[in-house]
Amino acid sequence: MNSQKIPLKVTAVRFARAVRDFSSSDVGKKANLMFAGLAALLFGVSGLNVVNSYVGRNFMTAIADRQTPEFIRQAIFYVGVFAALTVFSVIARFVEERLALLWREFIARRAVTLYLANGTYYRLDVSGQLTNPDQRIADDVRAFTRTTLSFVLLLFNGTLTIVAFSSVLWSISPLLFLVAVFYAASGSYLTVLLGRPLINLNYDQLDKEANFRSSLIHVRENAESIILERGEGRQQILLSHRLDDVIANFRRITAVNRNVGFFTTGYNWLIQIIPALIVAPAFIRGDIEFGVITQAAAAFAMLVGAFSLIVTQFHSISHFAVLVARLNSLLEAIEKSQTTAESAIEIVERGGCLAYERLSLLSSNGTPLLKKLSVSIPLGSLVLLTGPSQAPGTALFRATAGIPTPGTGRIIRPGSNDIVFLKQRPYLPPGTLRQILVPLENAGEISDDRMFQVLRELDLERVVSQAGGLDKEQGWEMSLSLTEQQLLAVAKVLLAPPQVVFLDRVDTTLGSEKLRKILRLLSDRSITCINSGEANDARDLYHAVLEYSEDGRWTWTPNRA
């Protein structure tokens, strides 16, 4: 990444919009009240710090003058101020964390909604234009909200500190006040100069860490395939390369941190001695009390700290710049995917109809897969889609499902609730068996007896006992075979029958006998079925065969009445 990846104007606009959207949302009133409460608490902390500086001065003067009654009185004041500061600070921290959590929830929910809307997650995955969107939504949003709020409060508190302690330090020594301003400005400039590379390095580090983690997840999710193919060596090489990238980049980060650390450590040490060097001569001459030295040191440290946010918070600021850049790229990628030109294929949703009008499909390199397909498939019929290669059938499957596919023409199909697509490898999300079998919109409408009946028809009775009943959560990919997973997907279709089901090479997981049984069950329920499979797959059960050739031409052959 280079500095051009963080356009300051766009970033500032997005940041302002994020704050505005949050404050005007349905939780905005609560958030505004919490922020107002935080501001009041910080006013209190700042005021108590000023009071504490005077109490501390009198406390140290009483010690120097050996005044026992005054020492005891100031000690009591000291304890009282510290107790009040503790209460105010702890409550302020609690409110800050709750406000950050509220903001994180708001942004994360909106990000998830945008990510899942209109197939955005699919387009981002296929295009490869954005790395690790999951990490950006989960980790970066959390860090962004927490860090942003922390910086806003630091700036607010720093402003209060400057206002409160400038007059205190000026009254003690105008020279010391000017030294504080110059010292903080010089320190901030040198810190930025030394630490600027951290922004790029931290950006890269987050991606490299995510790539390493995703490779480990890949091994876990494909453990069986890897062990069958004896692919451990290849995976070890890949993981080693990813780990090398992580370590090499982090070494560069530690080198920059070392240079920044040399400067900031010395910078912070000098803060402790500079006030004494300037104020002590006045005490030696007898112009001021001893406690003024302590007060000057405290006021100088507070004022320099307020002016030196860049020095004291540079590591956090560099991470914050990275977070803003990554979230900015996430939003840009989402917006770009939503405005990307769609396929030239027109999809019309019309209940009770499945038809293709002059539909032409192309491969990614422009090779014709199907040419001007025009056919109307009667509802309730079984159709075999076959040919010398899988590509045209898969392309028709994807185009009918609404996945952007190169081509032209028109597809007329039922609405999304009335058409189901079953891939060669089924997808069963983690959850209970009931959640797998019964769509959310049909919850409560399908009895347990009906579920058991369909499972018996598909020889899946043992899955219920294996799963511990209908309502125990499971991870199905590891607990069931691929055939059982596919049969569960079919069971879901049979329980809430759609008008149309489109199968893509399911014969490879089900086998010929099970496929014949499923086709009969679908026919008995008058469910239209298009099966992209082999030409000899239960051909006698189909009402028609749609066959394509290598050059994209096709033929429609009725099989039986």
Side-chain angles (χ1 to χ4, degrees):
M1 185 195 117
N2 53 50
S3 59
Q4 292 180 347
K5 288 189 177 181
I6 308 180
L8 296 180
K9 184 177 180 180
V10 174
T11 299
V13 170
R14 288 197 182 279
F15 177 79
R17 189 172 72 181
V19 174
R20 185 179 66 249
D21 290 346
F22 180 50
S23 62
S24 61
S25 67
D26 54 349
V27 295
K29 185 176 180 181
K30 180 180 179 181
N32 292 333
L33 288 174
M34 293 175 72
F35 189 81
L38 260 178
L41 288 167
L42 292 178
F43 268 116
V45 169
S46 183
L48 287 169
N49 279 329
V50 173
V51 172
N52 189 51
S53 72
Y54 284 98
V55 173
R57 182 190 70 179
N58 296 335
F59 179 77
M60 297 305 295
T61 298
I63 293 175
D65 294 343
R66 296 180 175 83
Q67 298 177 353
T68 301
E70 182 64 16
F71 166 75
I72 294 174
R73 191 165 71 91
Q74 294 300 327
I76 294 172
F77 288 159
Y78 227 158
V79 172
V81 171
F82 275 128
L85 274 171
T86 300
V87 172
F88 274 63
S89 299
V90 170
I91 294 177
R93 180 62 180 170
F94 173 77
V95 176
E96 177 186 343
E97 289 178 345
R98 285 299 179 89
L99 182 55
L101 183 62
L102 185 66
W103 197 8
R104 179 198 176 183
E105 180 185 9
F106 171 75
I107 293 182
R109 289 188 186 280
R110 291 193 64 180
V112 169
T113 300
L114 289 172
Y115 185 58
L116 295 178
N118 302 319
T120 298
Y121 60 95
Y122 173 81
R123 295 187 184 92
L124 291 178
D125 182 58
V126 170
S127 67
Q129 61 182 294
L130 185 73
T131 58
N132 308 303
D134 52 327
Q135 185 195 39
R136 297 173 195 245
I137 294 174
D139 295 340
D140 293 351
V141 167
R142 170 181 52 81
F144 169 77
T145 53
R146 185 179 59 191
T147 307
T148 299
L149 188 58
S150 178
F151 282 155
V152 169
L153 295 178
L154 279 172
L155 288 172
F156 181 75
N157 199 34
T159 302
L160 293 178
T161 300
I162 291 171
V163 171
F165 280 92
S166 291
S167 58
V168 174
L169 196 59
W170 184 270
S171 66
I172 295 172
S173 170
L175 176 61
L176 189 58
F177 173 81
L178 296 175
V179 169
V181 174
F182 176 78
Y183 189 70
S186 302
S188 299
Y189 173 76
L190 291 174
T191 302
V192 171
L193 193 65
L194 291 170
R196 186 185 303 170
L198 279 177
I199 297 176
N200 298 343
L201 292 171
N202 284 331
Y203 188 102
D204 293 337
Q205 187 69 22
L206 288 175
D207 272 340
K208 293 179 187 299
E209 295 278 7
N211 290 337
F212 179 56
R213 184 169 60 249
S214 66
S215 297
L216 291 172
I217 294 173
H218 173 81
V219 172
R220 186 191 69 194
E221 292 180 342
N222 298 274
E224 184 174 337
S225 299
I226 292 172
I227 199 170
L228 289 175
E229 296 182 7
R230 300 291 187 267
E232 295 89 348
R234 182 177 179 182
Q235 293 300 323
Q236 184 170 4
I237 292 173
L238 176 62
L239 287 170
S240 295
H241 287 164
R242 293 283 171 87
L243 183 58
D244 288 344
D245 289 342
V246 170
I247 299 302
N249 194 73
F250 197 73
R251 281 177 176 159
R252 290 190 286 269
I253 290 176
T254 56
V256 177
N257 283 336
R258 176 200 60 206
N259 298 336
V260 175
F262 275 128
F263 175 74
T264 56
T265 302
Y267 178 91
N268 290 327
W269 278 112
L270 283 175
I271 291 176
Q272 302 179 40
I273 195 172
I274 289 176
L277 293 175
I278 295 176
V279 178
F283 170 75
I284 294 172
R285 292 194 304 269
D287 296 338
I288 59 173
E289 300 171 335
F290 177 75
V292 175
I293 298 178
T294 305
Q295 185 184 27
F300 183 84
M302 294 289 287
L303 196 60
V304 170
F307 278 124
S308 305
L309 285 180
I310 292 179
V311 179
T312 58
Q313 301 292 326
F314 184 78
H315 288 289
S316 298
I317 292 172
S318 65
H319 280 287
F320 179 69
V322 170
L323 292 173
V324 173
R326 287 169 62 83
L327 291 177
N328 184 52
S329 61
L330 172 65
L331 289 173
E332 285 182 344
I334 289 176
E335 290 174 354
K336 184 178 179 181
S337 71
Q338 292 175 344
T339 57
T340 299
E342 298 288 342
S343 170
I345 299 172
E346 178 187 4
I347 295 181
V348 178
E349 293 188 353
R350 185 185 303 166
C353 182
L354 177 61
Y356 301 98
E357 297 180 355
R358 299 183 63 80
L359 179 67
S360 295
L361 299 177
L362 306 174
S363 66
S364 57
N365 60 11
T367 303
L369 298 176
L370 276 175
K371 295 179 180 178
K372 298 182 179 180
L373 174 64
S374 295
V375 65
S376 179
I377 298 175
L379 291 183
S381 60
L382 305 179
V383 177
L384 175 63
L385 176 63
T386 189
S389 70
Q390 298 180 7
T394 300
L396 187 62
F397 177 90
R398 290 161 56 88
T400 308
I403 297 174
T405 306
T408 58
R410 192 181 192 209
I411 300 174
I412 303 173
R413 39 154 277 192
S416 56
N417 292 330
D418 292 319
I419 186 168
V420 172
F421 300 87
L422 296 185
K423 294 177 57 178
Q424 182 179 15
R425 184 178 182 88
Y427 169 66
L428 298 181
T432 67
L433 189 56
R434 187 187 303 277
Q435 291 170 336
I436 293 296
L437 292 174
V438 182
L440 186 61
E441 60 270 17
N442 298 112
E445 297 179 7
I446 300 174
S447 66
D448 290 1
D449 291 340
R450 175 63 180 145
M451 280 186 265
F452 288 128
Q453 177 188 345
V454 170
L455 291 174
R456 280 194 298 270
E457 287 181 302
L458 296 171
D459 300 322
L460 288 175
E461 301 99 319
R462 77 174 190 86
V463 172
V464 181
S465 58
Q466 184 178 336
L470 295 174
D471 299 303
K472 185 176 180 180
E473 290 197 3
Q474 294 281 342
W476 303 103
E477 287 192 1
M478 299 302 295
S479 61
L480 297 179
S481 68
L482 200 58
T483 298
E484 289 171 329
Q485 294 177 47
Q486 191 66 272
L487 289 173
L488 274 182
V490 172
K492 181 177 180 179
V493 171
L494 297 177
L495 283 167
Q499 294 179 2
V500 178
V501 60
F502 202 137
L503 310 178
D504 183 32
R505 304 284 171 177
V506 298
D507 53 286
T508 58
T509 54
L510 294 177
S512 179
E513 288 303 315
K514 284 187 172 60
L515 178 61
R516 292 179 68 92
K517 184 174 185 177
I518 289 168
L519 290 175
R520 290 193 187 97
L521 291 172
L522 294 173
S523 181
D524 292 342
R525 290 163 173 78
S526 299
I527 301 174
T528 305
C529 175
I530 301 93
N531 179 34
S532 176
E534 298 295 333
N536 58 355
D537 282 342
R539 194 171 186 126
D540 57 302
L541 293 179
Y542 293 102
H543 297 92
V545 176
L546 176 57
E547 192 165 1
Y548 48 82
S549 59
E550 291 184 355
D551 61 1
R553 289 182 294 178
W554 56 274
T555 57
W556 171 267
T557 307
N559 198 32
R560 64 183 176 87

